[in-house]
Amino acid sequence: MSTIEKSTKVKHGSKGEKTKQHILNTAIAVLANQGIKGTTHRAIAKEADIQLSLTTYYFKDIQELIHQAFQLNSAQTIALASITWQNAFNILDNISIEDLSTTKVKEQLCDDFSKMASEYIYQKITTQANSLAVEQLLFTEIQITPELRTLAQQHKSALILPFLRLCQHFNKQDPQIDADIMLTILTQLEYRHLAVPINEINKEELYLVTRRIIAWVIGVKP
């Protein structure tokens, strides 16, 4: 194969990958707004402003397209959560075990983590609503579509890891239980705000709820 042929093949592959990614991202938006039943090749093509033949070319099976859209949404959600909580761990890693046992340090950590977590939740609600809605759909859809159960379990396992790591710093006996409670409460806090207009979201309320659960985990007064 000549250099020119190789170059052309790379360009076509790159363009094809971008088109496929565009279709998947559009499928996430359609899933969020129309649910699984409304997520068809035609609906995705219309939303993506591309020819119907392109969606069927890259994804002949609509179920596979939907499954890959769920996978992409899961990967993006997990990546964002990991980056956010890594900031908290960077702080923890620079604190000695002795200092970590003092009330003053714990209270400061509680304040810092609550600000990080509540801002993260606010940004997800206001800028990642489609992603959040599809995440919620993934967990509800497993009753109807068992094929998604494994992905849902993997998604939850990945999301709980930062909470487990945080809880292990303060509870050596049953951090898994604390992490599960923490993830459940904060996730439900996100979901219930999906129906709230952005201009009506109370950031102070998000902070107070988040602080209460983090204070409980760390072991300080809320």
Side-chain angles (χ1 to χ4, degrees), residues 129-168:
N130 282 345
S131 177
L132 197 54
V134 172
E135 178 186 67
Q136 185 181 35
L137 181 62
L138 173 64
F139 289 117
T140 58
E141 188 63 25
I142 59 175
Q143 303 302 324
I144 304 171
T145 312
E147 294 81 5
L148 293 172
R149 191 179 302 278
T150 299
L151 176 60
Q153 292 172 340
Q154 292 172 342
H155 183 79
K156 182 180 178 181
S157 296
L159 283 183
I160 204 172
L161 284 178
F163 295 101
L164 179 59
R165 183 178 172 186
L166 179 65
C167 291
Q168 285 173 335

Short mmCIF file of all heavy atoms in Angstrom, two decimals, residues 129-168:
data_model
loop_
_atom_site.label_atom_id
_atom_site.label_comp_id
_atom_site.label_asym_id
_atom_site.label_seq_id
_atom_site.Cartn_x
_atom_site.Cartn_y
_atom_site.Cartn_z
N ALA A 129 -27.52 17.02 32.09
CA ALA A 129 -28.85 16.47 32.37
C ALA A 129 -29.15 15.23 31.54
O ALA A 129 -29.72 14.26 32.04
CB ALA A 129 -29.92 17.54 32.14
N ASN A 130 -28.79 15.26 30.26
CA ASN A 130 -29.03 14.10 29.40
C ASN A 130 -28.28 12.87 29.91
O ASN A 130 -28.82 11.76 29.98
CB ASN A 130 -28.61 14.39 27.96
CG ASN A 130 -29.62 15.24 27.21
OD1 ASN A 130 -30.75 15.40 27.64
ND2 ASN A 130 -29.20 15.81 26.09
N SER A 131 -27.03 13.07 30.27
CA SER A 131 -26.22 11.97 30.78
C SER A 131 -26.82 11.41 32.06
O SER A 131 -26.87 10.19 32.27
CB SER A 131 -24.79 12.47 31.04
OG SER A 131 -24.00 11.45 31.60
N LEU A 132 -27.28 12.30 32.92
CA LEU A 132 -27.87 11.90 34.19
C LEU A 132 -29.17 11.13 33.97
O LEU A 132 -29.42 10.11 34.62
CB LEU A 132 -28.13 13.15 35.03
CG LEU A 132 -28.36 12.97 36.54
CD1 LEU A 132 -27.23 12.18 37.17
CD2 LEU A 132 -28.50 14.34 37.19
N ALA A 133 -29.98 11.60 33.02
CA ALA A 133 -31.24 10.93 32.72
C ALA A 133 -31.01 9.53 32.14
O ALA A 133 -31.73 8.58 32.46
CB ALA A 133 -32.06 11.77 31.74
N VAL A 134 -29.98 9.39 31.31
CA VAL A 134 -29.66 8.09 30.71
C VAL A 134 -29.09 7.15 31.76
O VAL A 134 -29.35 5.94 31.74
CB VAL A 134 -28.70 8.26 29.52
CG1 VAL A 134 -28.21 6.90 29.01
CG2 VAL A 134 -29.39 9.02 28.40
N GLU A 135 -28.33 7.68 32.69
CA GLU A 135 -27.83 6.87 33.80
C GLU A 135 -29.00 6.31 34.60
O GLU A 135 -29.03 5.12 34.93
CB GLU A 135 -26.93 7.70 34.71
CG GLU A 135 -26.39 6.93 35.91
CD GLU A 135 -25.63 7.82 36.88
OE1 GLU A 135 -26.28 8.70 37.51
OE2 GLU A 135 -24.42 7.65 37.00
N GLN A 136 -29.96 7.15 34.91
CA GLN A 136 -31.15 6.72 35.64
C GLN A 136 -31.93 5.68 34.83
O GLN A 136 -32.41 4.68 35.37
CB GLN A 136 -32.04 7.92 35.96
CG GLN A 136 -33.25 7.58 36.82
CD GLN A 136 -34.11 8.79 37.09
OE1 GLN A 136 -34.25 9.67 36.25
NE2 GLN A 136 -34.69 8.86 38.28
N LEU A 137 -32.04 5.92 33.52
CA LEU A 137 -32.74 4.99 32.64
C LEU A 137 -32.07 3.62 32.63
O LEU A 137 -32.76 2.59 32.59
CB LEU A 137 -32.79 5.57 31.22
CG LEU A 137 -33.50 4.74 30.15
CD1 LEU A 137 -34.97 4.57 30.50
CD2 LEU A 137 -33.35 5.40 28.78
N LEU A 138 -30.75 3.61 32.69
CA LEU A 138 -30.01 2.34 32.70
C LEU A 138 -30.45 1.47 33.87
O LEU A 138 -30.69 0.27 33.71
CB LEU A 138 -28.50 2.62 32.78
CG LEU A 138 -27.59 1.39 32.98
CD1 LEU A 138 -27.68 0.46 31.77
CD2 LEU A 138 -26.15 1.84 33.19
N PHE A 139 -30.58 2.07 35.04
CA PHE A 139 -30.94 1.30 36.23
C PHE A 139 -32.40 0.86 36.23
O PHE A 139 -32.73 -0.19 36.78
CB PHE A 139 -30.63 2.11 37.50
CG PHE A 139 -29.16 2.26 37.77
CD1 PHE A 139 -28.55 3.51 37.77
CD2 PHE A 139 -28.36 1.15 38.00
CE1 PHE A 139 -27.19 3.64 38.01
CE2 PHE A 139 -27.00 1.27 38.25
CZ PHE A 139 -26.41 2.53 38.24
N THR A 140 -33.27 1.65 35.63
CA THR A 140 -34.69 1.27 35.60
C THR A 140 -34.98 0.28 34.48
O THR A 140 -35.90 -0.54 34.59
CB THR A 140 -35.58 2.52 35.43
OG1 THR A 140 -35.21 3.21 34.22
CG2 THR A 140 -35.43 3.47 36.61
N GLU A 141 -34.19 0.33 33.42
CA GLU A 141 -34.45 -0.49 32.25
C GLU A 141 -34.05 -1.94 32.43
O GLU A 141 -34.52 -2.83 31.70
CB GLU A 141 -33.73 0.10 31.03
CG GLU A 141 -34.06 -0.54 29.70
CD GLU A 141 -35.52 -0.38 29.30
OE1 GLU A 141 -36.15 0.60 29.78
OE2 GLU A 141 -36.02 -1.22 28.54
N ILE A 142 -33.20 -2.23 33.41
CA ILE A 142 -32.72 -3.61 33.58
C ILE A 142 -33.85 -4.58 33.93
O ILE A 142 -33.72 -5.78 33.74
CB ILE A 142 -31.60 -3.70 34.64
CG1 ILE A 142 -32.09 -3.20 36.00
CG2 ILE A 142 -30.37 -2.96 34.17
CD1 ILE A 142 -31.06 -3.39 37.11
N GLN A 143 -34.98 -4.05 34.43
CA GLN A 143 -36.12 -4.93 34.72
C GLN A 143 -36.77 -5.41 33.42
O GLN A 143 -37.38 -6.46 33.37
CB GLN A 143 -37.15 -4.18 35.58
CG GLN A 143 -36.61 -3.65 36.89
CD GLN A 143 -36.04 -4.75 37.78
OE1 GLN A 143 -36.55 -5.86 37.81
NE2 GLN A 143 -34.96 -4.44 38.48
N ILE A 144 -36.64 -4.59 32.37
CA ILE A 144 -37.25 -4.92 31.08
C ILE A 144 -36.22 -5.51 30.12
O ILE A 144 -36.54 -6.38 29.31
CB ILE A 144 -37.88 -3.65 30.46
CG1 ILE A 144 -38.88 -3.03 31.44
CG2 ILE A 144 -38.57 -3.97 29.14
CD1 ILE A 144 -39.39 -1.67 31.01
N THR A 145 -35.00 -5.01 30.21
CA THR A 145 -33.94 -5.45 29.30
C THR A 145 -32.78 -6.04 30.11
O THR A 145 -31.84 -5.34 30.48
CB THR A 145 -33.43 -4.26 28.46
OG1 THR A 145 -34.54 -3.54 27.92
CG2 THR A 145 -32.52 -4.72 27.32
N PRO A 146 -32.85 -7.32 30.44
CA PRO A 146 -31.83 -7.97 31.27
C PRO A 146 -30.41 -7.85 30.71
O PRO A 146 -29.45 -7.93 31.47
CB PRO A 146 -32.28 -9.43 31.32
CG PRO A 146 -33.74 -9.39 31.03
CD PRO A 146 -33.91 -8.26 30.05
N GLU A 147 -30.30 -7.66 29.38
CA GLU A 147 -28.98 -7.56 28.76
C GLU A 147 -28.18 -6.38 29.33
O GLU A 147 -26.95 -6.36 29.26
CB GLU A 147 -29.10 -7.40 27.24
CG GLU A 147 -29.67 -8.62 26.53
CD GLU A 147 -31.19 -8.71 26.60
OE1 GLU A 147 -31.81 -7.75 27.14
OE2 GLU A 147 -31.75 -9.70 26.13
N LEU A 148 -28.89 -5.41 29.87
CA LEU A 148 -28.21 -4.23 30.42
C LEU A 148 -27.80 -4.41 31.88
O LEU A 148 -27.12 -3.55 32.44
CB LEU A 148 -29.14 -3.01 30.31
CG LEU A 148 -29.44 -2.50 28.90
CD1 LEU A 148 -30.51 -1.42 28.94
CD2 LEU A 148 -28.18 -1.97 28.23
N ARG A 149 -28.20 -5.52 32.48
CA ARG A 149 -27.94 -5.72 33.91
C ARG A 149 -26.44 -5.71 34.23
O ARG A 149 -26.01 -5.08 35.20
CB ARG A 149 -28.58 -7.03 34.37
CG ARG A 149 -28.58 -7.20 35.89
CD ARG A 149 -29.26 -8.51 36.29
NE ARG A 149 -30.62 -8.55 35.78
CZ ARG A 149 -31.65 -7.98 36.38
NH1 ARG A 149 -31.47 -7.32 37.51
NH2 ARG A 149 -32.87 -8.06 35.87
N THR A 150 -25.66 -6.40 33.42
CA THR A 150 -24.21 -6.46 33.67
C THR A 150 -23.58 -5.08 33.59
O THR A 150 -22.77 -4.70 34.44
CB THR A 150 -23.52 -7.39 32.66
OG1 THR A 150 -24.05 -8.71 32.79
CG2 THR A 150 -22.01 -7.43 32.90
N LEU A 151 -23.99 -4.30 32.58
CA LEU A 151 -23.46 -2.95 32.44
C LEU A 151 -23.85 -2.09 33.64
O LEU A 151 -23.04 -1.32 34.16
CB LEU A 151 -23.97 -2.30 31.15
CG LEU A 151 -23.57 -0.84 30.92
CD1 LEU A 151 -22.04 -0.71 30.87
CD2 LEU A 151 -24.19 -0.31 29.63
N ALA A 152 -25.09 -2.23 34.09
CA ALA A 152 -25.56 -1.46 35.25
C ALA A 152 -24.77 -1.82 36.50
O ALA A 152 -24.40 -0.93 37.29
CB ALA A 152 -27.05 -1.71 35.47
N GLN A 153 -24.48 -3.10 36.66
CA GLN A 153 -23.70 -3.53 37.82
C GLN A 153 -22.27 -3.00 37.75
O GLN A 153 -21.71 -2.55 38.76
CB GLN A 153 -23.70 -5.07 37.90
CG GLN A 153 -25.06 -5.66 38.23
CD GLN A 153 -25.09 -7.18 38.11
OE1 GLN A 153 -24.25 -7.79 37.45
NE2 GLN A 153 -26.07 -7.80 38.75
N GLN A 154 -21.68 -3.05 36.57
CA GLN A 154 -20.32 -2.53 36.38
C GLN A 154 -20.29 -1.02 36.63
O GLN A 154 -19.33 -0.49 37.21
CB GLN A 154 -19.83 -2.85 34.98
CG GLN A 154 -19.61 -4.33 34.72
CD GLN A 154 -19.31 -4.63 33.26
OE1 GLN A 154 -19.58 -3.83 32.36
NE2 GLN A 154 -18.74 -5.81 33.00
N HIS A 155 -21.33 -0.34 36.16
CA HIS A 155 -21.42 1.11 36.34
C HIS A 155 -21.47 1.47 37.82
O HIS A 155 -20.73 2.34 38.29
CB HIS A 155 -22.67 1.62 35.62
CG HIS A 155 -22.84 3.11 35.68
ND1 HIS A 155 -22.13 3.97 34.86
CD2 HIS A 155 -23.63 3.90 36.45
CE1 HIS A 155 -22.47 5.22 35.13
NE2 HIS A 155 -23.38 5.20 36.09
N LYS A 156 -22.33 0.79 38.55
CA LYS A 156 -22.44 1.08 39.99
C LYS A 156 -21.15 0.76 40.72
O LYS A 156 -20.71 1.51 41.60
CB LYS A 156 -23.60 0.29 40.60
CG LYS A 156 -23.78 0.58 42.09
CD LYS A 156 -24.92 -0.20 42.71
CE LYS A 156 -25.02 0.10 44.21
NZ LYS A 156 -26.11 -0.68 44.86
N SER A 157 -20.53 -0.37 40.36
CA SER A 157 -19.27 -0.77 41.01
C SER A 157 -18.18 0.28 40.81
O SER A 157 -17.39 0.56 41.72
CB SER A 157 -18.80 -2.12 40.46
OG SER A 157 -19.73 -3.14 40.78
N ALA A 158 -18.14 0.87 39.61
CA ALA A 158 -17.14 1.90 39.32
C ALA A 158 -17.46 3.19 40.08
O ALA A 158 -16.56 3.85 40.59
CB ALA A 158 -17.08 2.16 37.82
N LEU A 159 -18.75 3.55 40.12
CA LEU A 159 -19.14 4.79 40.80
C LEU A 159 -18.92 4.73 42.30
O LEU A 159 -18.64 5.75 42.94
CB LEU A 159 -20.61 5.10 40.53
CG LEU A 159 -20.98 5.69 39.17
CD1 LEU A 159 -22.47 6.00 39.11
CD2 LEU A 159 -20.17 6.95 38.86
N ILE A 160 -19.03 3.54 42.88
CA ILE A 160 -18.92 3.43 44.33
C ILE A 160 -17.48 3.45 44.81
O ILE A 160 -17.21 3.72 45.99
CB ILE A 160 -19.63 2.14 44.83
CG1 ILE A 160 -20.05 2.31 46.30
CG2 ILE A 160 -18.75 0.92 44.65
CD1 ILE A 160 -20.92 1.17 46.81
N LEU A 161 -16.52 3.20 43.91
CA LEU A 161 -15.12 3.11 44.32
C LEU A 161 -14.60 4.36 45.04
O LEU A 161 -13.96 4.24 46.09
CB LEU A 161 -14.24 2.78 43.10
CG LEU A 161 -14.27 1.34 42.62
CD1 LEU A 161 -13.41 1.17 41.39
CD2 LEU A 161 -13.81 0.39 43.72
N PRO A 162 -14.85 5.57 44.51
CA PRO A 162 -14.36 6.76 45.23
C PRO A 162 -15.00 6.90 46.61
O PRO A 162 -14.32 7.29 47.56
CB PRO A 162 -14.78 7.93 44.32
CG PRO A 162 -14.97 7.32 42.98
CD PRO A 162 -15.49 5.94 43.23
N PHE A 163 -16.29 6.56 46.72
CA PHE A 163 -16.97 6.63 48.01
C PHE A 163 -16.38 5.60 48.99
O PHE A 163 -16.22 5.88 50.17
CB PHE A 163 -18.46 6.40 47.84
CG PHE A 163 -19.15 7.46 47.04
CD1 PHE A 163 -19.46 7.25 45.70
CD2 PHE A 163 -19.48 8.69 47.60
CE1 PHE A 163 -20.08 8.24 44.95
CE2 PHE A 163 -20.10 9.68 46.86
CZ PHE A 163 -20.41 9.45 45.54
N LEU A 164 -16.08 4.42 48.47
CA LEU A 164 -15.49 3.38 49.31
C LEU A 164 -14.12 3.81 49.80
O LEU A 164 -13.79 3.64 50.99
CB LEU A 164 -15.37 2.08 48.50
CG LEU A 164 -14.75 0.89 49.23
CD1 LEU A 164 -15.55 0.53 50.47
CD2 LEU A 164 -14.67 -0.32 48.29
N ARG A 165 -13.35 4.38 48.92
CA ARG A 165 -12.01 4.83 49.30
C ARG A 165 -12.10 5.92 50.36
O ARG A 165 -11.32 5.93 51.32
CB ARG A 165 -11.28 5.37 48.06
CG ARG A 165 -9.85 5.80 48.33
CD ARG A 165 -9.18 6.25 47.05
NE ARG A 165 -7.88 6.85 47.32
CZ ARG A 165 -7.13 7.44 46.39
NH1 ARG A 165 -7.56 7.47 45.13
NH2 ARG A 165 -5.96 7.97 46.71
N LEU A 166 -13.07 6.83 50.20
CA LEU A 166 -13.25 7.90 51.19
C LEU A 166 -13.68 7.32 52.53
O LEU A 166 -13.13 7.68 53.58
CB LEU A 166 -14.30 8.89 50.68
CG LEU A 166 -14.62 10.07 51.61
CD1 LEU A 166 -13.40 10.98 51.77
CD2 LEU A 166 -15.81 10.87 51.07
N CYS A 167 -14.64 6.40 52.51
CA CYS A 167 -15.16 5.82 53.75
C CYS A 167 -14.10 5.00 54.47
O CYS A 167 -14.11 4.92 55.70
CB CYS A 167 -16.39 4.97 53.45
SG CYS A 167 -17.84 5.92 52.92
N GLN A 168 -13.21 4.37 53.74
CA GLN A 168 -12.16 3.56 54.36
C GLN A 168 -11.21 4.38 55.21
O GLN A 168 -10.57 3.85 56.12
CB GLN A 168 -11.38 2.81 53.27
CG GLN A 168 -12.15 1.64 52.68
CD GLN A 168 -11.44 1.02 51.49
OE1 GLN A 168 -10.65 1.69 50.80
NE2 GLN A 168 -11.71 -0.24 51.22
#
